Amino acid sequence: MSRPDPAKRQARAEELAALLAGRPIVLVGMMGAGKTTVGRRLAAKLNRLFLDSDEEIEKAAQMSIPEIFEQRGEPEFRAGETRVIARVLKDPDIVLATGGGAFVSEETRALVNAEAISVWLKAEADILFERVSRRSNRPLLKTANPRQTLEKLIAERYPIYADAHVTVLSRDVPQDVVAADVIEAVLAHLKN
């Protein structure tokens, strides 16, 4: 498949920005799916502000995600996550990358799907495991068998992530390619 020329890609991004009319785009999916990396590139292409819900939660709580999990537990973390996402979705023209568990919350999922266009960055287990193994800041993978834990999370979460408006495959290609795929998929969704 030939890559579209930069002028055509820019025109598609501008068309999407106009169709969105300020509505946020929210990236959901497993840890390691590329939500932050793709989100930054997508925001640049659409001339939007990029936000990462985990960073916003850390700012609000004045502690790191692992510290919140350790000191307050996952239920308190999830409650704070929902509050932070509700707050940032009030901002127009944003691309928001969410933590892997955010969309699993029924309340957060309903909020995201009502206020934004949700995009599931779907990746195969091998790609996810290879990516998450590079970093040690994944509280849910601090287990005896992280690979097994990841596969269990995939089995639990993929049927829920399927509730996103749009699904885009995150694969081993430059993240700009995945960002362009998101633009095309959201355009197609909005035109239907």
Side-chain angles (χ1 to χ4, degrees):
M1 186 171 90
S2 66
R3 294 184 64 163
D5 68 82
K8 184 172 188 217
R9 283 199 306 265
Q10 182 59 36
R12 299 295 280 171
E14 288 170 10
E15 180 184 6
L16 177 56
L19 280 173
L20 285 166
R23 196 167 179 196
I25 292 177
V26 177
L27 302 178
V28 304
M30 287 293 295
M31 59 188 102
K35 299 179 300 287
T36 299
T37 310
V38 170
R40 287 187 200 287
R41 288 176 169 83
L42 181 63
K45 289 175 184 297
L46 296 175
N47 208 11
R48 286 179 158 221
L49 176 66
F50 172 78
L51 294 173
D52 181 297
S53 67
D54 284 350
E55 290 175 9
E56 297 299 312
I57 292 162
E58 288 179 338
K59 277 190 237 170
Q62 297 184 323
M63 59 176 71
S64 72
I65 302 288
E67 288 170 336
I68 298 168
F69 266 77
E70 188 181 301
Q71 293 176 28
R72 299 182 183 169
E74 187 176 359
E76 180 56 34
F77 169 77
R78 296 291 171 212
E81 182 175 55
T82 299
R83 288 190 301 272
V84 165
I85 290 172
R87 176 176 49 82
V88 300
L89 285 181
K90 289 179 172 66
D91 296 337
D93 296 317
I94 63 163
V95 172
L96 176 66
T98 60
F103 204 67
V104 175
S105 156
E106 198 172 324
E107 182 183 355
T108 304
R109 186 168 61 254
L111 178 72
V112 167
N113 280 341
E115 303 293 324
I117 300 295
S118 55
V119 178
W120 174 21
L121 290 184
K122 183 179 182 179
E124 293 176 10
D126 289 341
I127 289 174
L128 293 173
F129 191 71
E130 190 269 318
R131 290 177 181 169
V132 299
S133 296
R134 297 181 206 151
R135 295 170 64 193
S136 63
N137 65 339
R138 311 286 186 177
L140 294 179
L141 293 183
K142 294 200 182 304
T143 63
N145 187 336
R147 172 74 190 222
Q148 187 177 28
T149 303
L150 182 68
E151 288 173 358
K152 181 178 179 285
L153 286 169
I154 287 170
E156 292 168 357
R157 293 178 175 182
Y158 275 26
I160 298 168
Y161 292 151
D163 285 342
H165 295 119
V166 176
T167 300
V168 172
L169 198 60
S170 175
R171 55 213 191 282
D172 273 335
V173 294
Q175 297 300 338
D176 274 333
V177 173
V178 179
D181 290 349
V182 171
I183 290 171
E184 291 305 317
V186 175
L187 266 172
H189 170 74
L190 291 174
K191 288 178 173 181
N192 281 341

